[in-house]
Amino acid sequence: MIKEELESLLGHSPTARHRVTRNPLLLPLIVIGATVLAFFCGSALRPTPPQAQQLSPQASASPFNWTTCPQKDSNYKCGTLFVPLEYSNLDPALNISIPIAVAVFKAQKMPRMGTITFNFGGPGGPGKPVILGSGPALSELTGGHYDVLSFDPRGIGESAPIRCFQSASIHSQFEAMDAAIGFPENVYGSKTPLETVAAYAKARAISCSEWTKELLPRMGTTHVARDMDRIREALGDSVLNFHGFSYGTMLGVVYANMFPTRVGRVILDGVMNPLTYMGGPVFKDAPGDVHDSDALFEAFALECDIAGPERCPLSSPGGTPTTSTRVKQFLKKLEKEPLVVADHDAVIPYVLTAARLSGFVYRMLYSSTQWASYAKDLAKAVNDGNATSLVNRLAPSFVQDSCASLDKSGDNGMYGVTCLDTDGNDVSLEEWNSAAQDIEKVSPLFGKTSLWNYLPCKYWKVRPTERYTGPWNQTLKNKVLLIGNTLDIVTPLKNAQTVERIMDGNAVLLHHDGYGHCSTSQKSTCTLNSVKAFYTNGTYPDSGTVCPYDRDVEFFPVEGQATLMSHVKKDAVRQIQEFIVAVNA
């Protein structure tokens, strides 16, 4: 499924913890364009007073008010559950409710065993459209005996979405200008002063606080965990069965320790580290995110070299220079000589910078099912200086609808959660810059850009009304099952090992021996059987179990050959992975 189709289902441009969105060479065009569009989109720019989020009274005979889902059969149902805006109820003025959008795909096998609630990551990613787009695949993944359910977390998608700008068109224009500013100087050849980058981050943070009042301090993981417990309660279940990917693992760990007696069958795949994420400033967590990123790139490059030029055109005949060396040399070249893309086949005239290419490679590494097609586009740029197909692949992530009529939360949902969950971000720019240099030592390829996407958190105007920071070793009703990938682009295996240790006997770790983000990056019958056995029978894999990916997986198949990695055959695992990448990358 191509990215445009995913955006249509998700209802927003996919967010990411490290999505590279800046391009300093677009600034002059963007400034002129914003002025012109301000004239032509006048009706969209008329001032409107700040308002509270979509708040409704909480009163319903049927908790979810289930209805049919548009263009879906009777296996699907859509609903809305109203939950308290503020759970403490300390302020009578806040005794109001917000809607949580929910979708369910019904169990396909008997006996029906309950409901599994999913979160696919972000933070800031919606869940409802993933059920609508991949419900049968999720059912197959979990064995078919459960209803599979997901929801748009508060502040996201259809659940009282965060609003940071006066109008949809102003939001689009700000995103375009912010992307054009680029990264701070010395980041892949950028010349933009850090103070300028910081000013745009500050403008975003202030604007969010102006246009989202009541909800902004209540978007954090702790509140979402309480919302999940309300979903469990409304379903009439005594325990919560849960499957979390990526950031969803943080939500799962927080829920499990806040509600230890209500933990049912819980799987956390692509595990985040609560000690760093909930334990201090965002730059304390960022180095762990990229711990294995460069090693994963080297694994990709080695697989390309092994495949050879016939199957991976990015490699060299005879293997010299290596794919790794060629890509790194190309990045270095782009720092001084950005590549102009302006031919008639390009979606948009564009300048490919080193920072943008780094983001392209980073996104590619999320899913090994993408390696072959991405490598072809990258090879055209490296071998021939033709980046048109590469830019066309990137285009949906940076082409803005500046006359947009429907506002989309985009990265603001990520900020709304991350800036509340982390603490101590309001330190000097010098300290942020020092932290960025430390992260670069961990990941020379990707560390340069990874931290600066979080800079609005330095200026975030609100703190959470509630923030769970442990303990992480509560005695649970049922142990959780952790899944960690050997080389994960953003949630390294060591995170899963840490969580297994700090949960002190309340978690079991399954090691998925693969590449990419989460175990769905490539198919493993061993991992799939372990997941199905856990949900169906409550059985855990033996301690120390390592599941290899299937032997017929080929990262760079012969052209036209149908394999588990090719575009010809798309199984349930691949369908799910496409949504995980769309939400997180």
Side-chain angles (χ1 to χ4, degrees), residues 12-41:
H12 76 307
S13 295
T15 63
R17 306 190 69 216
H18 299 304
R19 182 159 62 89
V20 180
T21 59
R22 302 176 182 274
N23 186 346
L25 298 176
L26 287 176
L27 180 56
L29 293 175
I30 295 301
V31 171
I32 295 171
T35 304
V36 174
L37 288 164
F39 175 80
F40 284 107
C41 300

Side-chain angles (χ1 to χ4, degrees), residues 51-88:
Q51 300 176 25
Q53 296 297 310
Q54 303 167 19
L55 306 176
S56 303
Q58 186 176 7
S60 172
S62 173
F64 292 100
N65 293 305
W66 294 117
T67 63
T68 57
C69 301
Q71 300 180 333
K72 291 296 179 181
D73 61 30
S74 59
N75 283 305
Y76 296 85
K77 55 183 180 179
C78 293
T80 301
L81 179 69
F82 284 92
V83 300
L85 171 67
E86 174 56 62
Y87 282 94
S88 68

Side-chain angles (χ1 to χ4, degrees), residues 79-109:
T80 301
L81 179 69
F82 284 92
V83 300
L85 171 67
E86 174 56 62
Y87 282 94
S88 68
N89 289 324
L90 296 177
D91 185 350
L94 296 176
N95 189 24
I96 49 181
S97 302
I98 56 174
I100 302 297
V102 180
V104 168
F105 180 78
K106 297 178 182 178
Q108 299 298 292
K109 296 180 182 178

